Amino acid sequence: MFASCKDNQTIDSECEDIVYSSPIGFPEIPFPLDNPIKHETVMLGQKLFYDKTLSKDGSVSCASCHKQEDAFSDAGKSVSRGVANEAGMRNSPTIVNSAYHNSFFYDGRVQQLELQIKEALLSPNEMYSSEAHVVATIQSNNAYKALFYKAFPASTFVCRSCLV
């Protein structure tokens, strides 16, 4: 997916007129009907992706193993490491073009992108968190409350889409 702002602005919270499109030659991304792509969901997703406080000890985020500078992978490592420097089972693959996948992880055990994050959050070899910790962290953070409200204004539960 390409994202750009009109008038050459940077893509951040100040860019309200963001345009999202699939790369030339790629099919349209099959976004879920109840979670279409929009600026507010992208901003929320970006914050969640880089937030280390969601891990059990506050030491790792999704971006710790899916590094932007390495094409969102953990290039050069035989296995990725999670909280307490715990060795994982495998190296974290790139997440580029993940919207087009129908299964996730090397063994394909998850079939929905929206559910993939739950596996990483709860895995002892990765973020080793708990549902209660993630929900409490998000609900106690005013920035998250504002982002969730902007992304999902009709929702009464601040984190209805973070864990299923």
Side-chain angles (χ1 to χ4, degrees):
M1 173 181 66
F2 288 113
S4 64
C5 296
K6 295 177 184 173
D7 301 325
N8 295 322
Q9 296 172 326
T10 59
I11 300 171
D12 59 22
S13 59
E14 301 303 313
C15 179
E16 297 298 329
D17 57 355
I18 197 159
V19 177
Y20 298 96
S21 63
S22 297
I24 294 172
F26 279 67
E28 286 301 311
I29 295 172
F31 292 108
L33 295 176
D34 65 343
N35 191 12
I37 189 73
K38 59 184 182 177
H39 176 72
E40 294 80 7
T41 57
V42 170
M43 294 298 100
L44 174 60
Q46 182 179 22
K47 182 166 177 58
L48 291 165
F49 186 77
Y50 288 98
D51 190 354
K52 292 181 178 184
T53 66
L54 300 176
S55 67
K56 180 179 183 176
D57 65 0
S59 66
V60 296
S61 68
C62 300
S64 299
C65 295
H66 298 283
K67 297 178 187 78
Q68 184 172 351
E69 64 271 16
D70 291 329
F72 293 98
S73 73
D74 211 5
K77 295 187 177 171
S78 57
V79 296
S80 296
R81 298 199 167 266
V83 296
N85 205 30
E86 184 70 29
M89 305 283 289
R90 300 174 177 91
N91 172 275
S92 298
T94 183
I95 56 172
V96 172
N97 292 329
S98 291
Y100 294 108
H101 297 177
N102 1 353
S103 65
F104 301 90
F105 296 100
Y106 283 103
D107 60 4
R109 68 184 177 270
V110 174
Q111 284 73 51
Q112 288 181 281
L113 182 57
E114 290 79 10
L115 298 178
Q116 181 277 331
I117 184 57
K118 185 175 181 179
E119 294 277 324
L121 279 166
L122 303 181
S123 170
N125 295 352
E126 296 180 47
M127 297 174 79
Y128 203 11
S129 197
S130 67
E131 291 183 33
H133 171 75
V134 172
V135 171
T137 299
I138 290 170
Q139 289 183 335
S140 67
N141 182 303
N142 287 334
Y144 271 125
K145 287 179 185 179
L147 286 167
F148 268 95
Y149 180 77
K150 286 180 182 178
F152 306 103
S155 177
T156 56
F157 180 52
V158 173
C159 187
R160 77 168 177 88
S161 65
C162 66
L163 293 172
V164 176

